[in-house]
Amino acid sequence: MKKFDEDFWWGASSSAFQIEGAWEKDGKGESVADHNSFTRSAQQADTKVASDFYHHYEEDIKMMKELGLKTYRFSLSWARIIPDGDGEVNEKGIAFYNKVIDCLIDNEIIPFVTLYHFDLPYALAVKYNGWESRACVDAFRRYAQICYQAFGDRVKHWQVNNEQNLMIRVDERMNMYEVKLEDKERVRAQMDYHMFVAHAHATNDCHEMILGSKIGPAVSSTMTYPASNKPMDVWAAKMNDNFKTNYALEMYCFGQYPGYYQEFLDKAGIAPVVLPEDKAILAAAKPDFIALNYYRTLVASYLPVDDTHALGVREKDVDFDLYGYFQVEKNQNLSATEYGAQIDPMGLRLVLNEYYRQFRLPLIITENGLGTADVLTEDGKVHDQYRINYIRDHISACYDAIQDGVELFGYCPWSVMDLLSSHQGFKKRYGFVYINREDHDLKDLRRIPKDSFYWYQKVIQDHGLTD
């Protein structure tokens, strides 16, 4: 029996652009996520309807209550609240989220709110090239303050943004379509820095404006094994973790880039422009917890520079290789999902221990799940034992990490229901609840609990794994 404390936060997660739909209803503006989805409308579902949470939120929250959730981690759409990002406030957007928050509280579910999940208002991308401009920092700070003022009387737990450390690696997420190739890494570093400053402002303002508030970053976690016991491969694995996640956690927690990262920025000639006042702003911003999203581990070996690749040259996108540091390889010892994510529950135990050892802050998992195609049977059921197996093994790893001494206070799998996958539409499903639609056929959007829904319901009732 693997029992968790009775106050452990069993939850589930989603994001606004992937679940809400109603992309331009009641004054909502277009976001970068909307824009990107429309470029693929012919191939897959886009954000126009998604899971239609906007029109089904009461029904959906009742299902969350039936599931037994203690918390629901969801994001607000910046473009629903401020359609052009830095102009007039859309009161209908505020009203919608007030209704969602009140409904959650009425159903005894703690609202756990992310301010920004990949969906920058598109107008800011057009006006400023988004995060490249300091004006985007000011716009985000104002947006956060508006949210704190509107919802802070009821929402005490906040995340500033989702996976900045992953978002910054993906050109599409940053709307980096027209940046010259020779400028790309400099612009990327500047955007990243500006998001850190905005994160710091939002953290400081939250603590000042909301009595009893808790706020922290949500990172895409990275756990890398060395490809061999060669010292340079061991170093490469550590640097892969450092460059993809740890540098960001150090900035969030300590207010400055670690030496290895600042040295890289300087040597590569891409160090961002900073303002004198930033140092104090960053240093003052102390997170109350760290949220992590966990899906897989990686393997890395040393990648030396050569005649055609200088120090710091990147290849690939999300799991990029970096000359002078590391290249990512396949782990031959793990199975993988049909979309390539290698399944490794032990990696979750390891990364929880690593983050707690480094930062000594409470931890919560805000994403973890199995994305694959589900089949709705003729009698209206979804038998997803594969998802049950995946989540059971990762919950077991959470329990083991707690026994190791890690202060883990919650687990919020991805996702509460099927929602729009950015690159696979509704072919790739993660939810405990099946949404009866296909990419180009909305059908009836019926909500159908999967086998995993009833299994997770029992886990929550039992305060852990008893089978």
Side-chain angles (χ1 to χ4, degrees):
M1 296 175 67
K2 295 189 173 183
K3 293 281 191 177
F4 291 70
D5 289 344
E6 292 195 8
D7 60 355
F8 188 79
W9 280 21
W10 297 104
S13 293
S14 73
S15 84
F17 81 91
Q18 293 172 283
I19 196 172
E20 285 181 2
W23 80 275
E24 60 178 354
K25 186 178 176 65
D26 294 334
K28 180 185 176 296
E30 184 177 3
S31 72
V32 168
D34 293 324
H35 177 81
N36 290 334
S37 84
F38 300 155
T39 67
R40 291 186 286 274
S41 293
Q43 292 77 44
Q44 64 174 62
D46 54 33
T47 59
K48 291 175 183 174
V49 176
S51 307
D52 204 28
F53 178 78
Y54 193 84
H55 297 108
H56 292 259
Y57 73 90
E58 291 178 296
E59 172 190 355
D60 292 338
I61 291 171
K62 286 178 181 176
M63 292 194 78
M64 295 178 205
K65 173 71 171 178
E66 180 186 350
L67 180 55
L69 297 189
K70 308 300 182 187
T71 188
Y72 174 44
R73 180 257 190 172
F74 65 102
S75 73
L76 309 177
S77 168
W78 184 350
R80 195 177 293 284
I81 292 173
I82 308 173
D84 65 357
D86 60 356
E88 293 286 326
V89 174
N90 177 27
E91 293 300 334
K92 290 183 178 179
I94 297 284
F96 169 68
Y97 291 118
N98 271 324
K99 289 186 290 187
V100 169
I101 290 164
D102 288 344
C103 190
L104 287 167
I105 291 170
D106 287 345
N107 284 278
E108 300 179 295
I109 299 170
I110 299 167
F112 188 16
V113 173
T114 305
L115 288 165
Y116 171 45
H117 191 127
F118 300 165
D119 54 354
L120 183 78
Y122 188 67
L124 296 182
V126 173
K127 189 189 263 187
Y128 305 125
N129 196 28
W131 289 104
E132 185 181 9
S133 171
R134 189 77 184 202
C136 200
V137 177
D138 297 334
F140 182 80
R141 185 183 186 188
R142 173 176 175 258
Y143 160 63
Q145 289 175 340
I146 288 167
C147 292
Y148 298 155
Q149 187 170 12
F151 314 123
D153 59 326
R154 288 151 294 151
V155 178
K156 304 299 180 182
H157 297 86
W158 297 82
Q159 294 176 319
V160 181
N161 55 34
N162 180 72
E163 296 183 338
Q164 175 185 331
N165 62 313
L166 176 63
M167 193 184 343
I168 197 65
R169 301 180 222 159
V170 184
D171 291 354
E172 179 185 89
R173 298 255 191 251
M174 306 309 297
N175 202 56
M176 290 180 64
Y177 296 117
E178 299 179 9
V179 178
K180 294 179 182 177
L181 183 62
E182 61 268 27
D183 290 338
K184 185 167 281 189
E185 297 315 309
R186 177 192 60 79
V187 171
R188 194 189 310 279
Q190 189 68 61
M191 288 178 163
D192 203 24
Y193 177 75
H194 280 156
M195 280 196 284
F196 283 123
V197 176
H199 195 287
H201 274 305
T203 300
N204 293 330
D205 290 344
C206 184
H207 286 146
E208 182 176 332
M209 294 177 65
I210 304 176
L211 184 66
S213 61
K214 303 287 186 183
I215 189 167
V219 297
S220 173
S221 63
T222 315
M223 187 71 214
T224 309
Y225 305 122
S228 77
N229 58 6
K230 295 176 184 177
M232 289 306 293
D233 285 349
V234 176
W235 178 81
K238 290 186 179 296
M239 295 310 286
N240 188 61
D241 288 340
N242 285 344
F243 272 70
K244 291 175 181 170
T245 306
N246 293 341
Y247 85 99
L249 285 171
E250 293 202 47
M251 178 61 106
Y252 293 137
C253 294
F254 308 133
Q256 59 185 5
Y257 285 133
Y260 62 79
Y261 197 70
Q262 186 64 58
E263 180 187 39
F264 161 73
L265 293 173
D266 293 339
K267 282 185 175 180
I270 59 173
V273 176
V274 305
L275 298 184
E277 60 266 29
D278 291 348
K279 185 175 181 180
I281 294 165
L282 291 162
K286 300 299 183 185
D288 300 296
F289 59 83
I290 292 170
L292 64 140
N293 301 343
Y294 177 87
Y295 292 99
R296 71 242 169 101
T297 50
L298 300 169
V299 171
S301 60
Y302 176 57
L303 180 62
V305 298
D306 57 32
D307 293 340
T308 56
H309 299 94
L311 178 83
V313 171
R314 284 169 40 125
E315 288 192 343
K316 297 186 296 187
D317 199 339
V318 176
D319 294 328
F320 65 86
D321 300 333
L322 193 67
Y323 279 86
Y325 293 92
F326 51 80
Q327 63 182 352
V328 174
E329 302 182 8
K330 183 176 181 180
N331 191 330
Q332 302 298 329
N333 300 299
L334 298 174
S335 62
T337 72
E338 64 178 299
Y339 291 100
Q342 293 195 298
I343 301 171
D344 185 9
M346 176 57 79
L348 178 56
R349 180 180 181 179
L350 291 170
V351 81
L352 288 169
N353 271 276
E354 184 67 13
Y355 292 171
Y356 191 66
R357 181 190 64 79
Q358 287 186 67
F359 303 105
R360 277 297 189 268
L361 286 171
L363 301 173
I364 180 170
I365 296 162
T366 44
E367 290 185 27
N368 172 236
L370 176 67
T372 192
D374 289 324
V375 176
L376 182 65
T377 63
E378 290 185 5
D379 60 348
K381 298 182 184 302
V382 178
H383 302 303
D384 57 341
Q385 185 63 42
Y386 41 85
R387 183 168 292 109
I388 292 171
N389 295 342
Y390 179 100
I391 294 177
R392 181 193 61 233
D393 291 346
H394 286 79
I395 290 175
S396 183
C398 291
Y399 177 86
D400 291 341
I402 292 171
Q403 305 317 301
D404 294 335
V406 174
E407 187 181 353
L408 180 69
F409 70 92
Y411 177 72
C412 299
W414 188 265
S415 51
V416 67
M417 66 181 67
D418 293 340
L419 39 68
L420 174 69
S421 175
S422 296
H423 290 88
Q424 288 87 26
F426 276 83
K427 300 178 188 71
K428 185 180 183 183
R429 296 173 182 265
Y430 282 92
F432 291 116
V433 177
Y434 186 89
I435 302 298
N436 191 35
R437 66 158 294 178
E438 304 296 340
D439 279 338
H440 295 112
D441 183 358
L442 291 177
K443 298 186 176 179
D444 58 7
L445 292 168
R446 188 159 40 102
R447 275 70 171 133
I448 303 168
K450 304 177 188 179
D451 287 358
S452 58
F453 178 99
Y454 298 108
W455 176 84
Y456 191 46
Q457 181 186 62
K458 188 174 189 304
V459 169
I460 297 171
Q461 290 171 350
D462 293 344
H463 304 294
L465 303 173
T466 57
D467 55 341

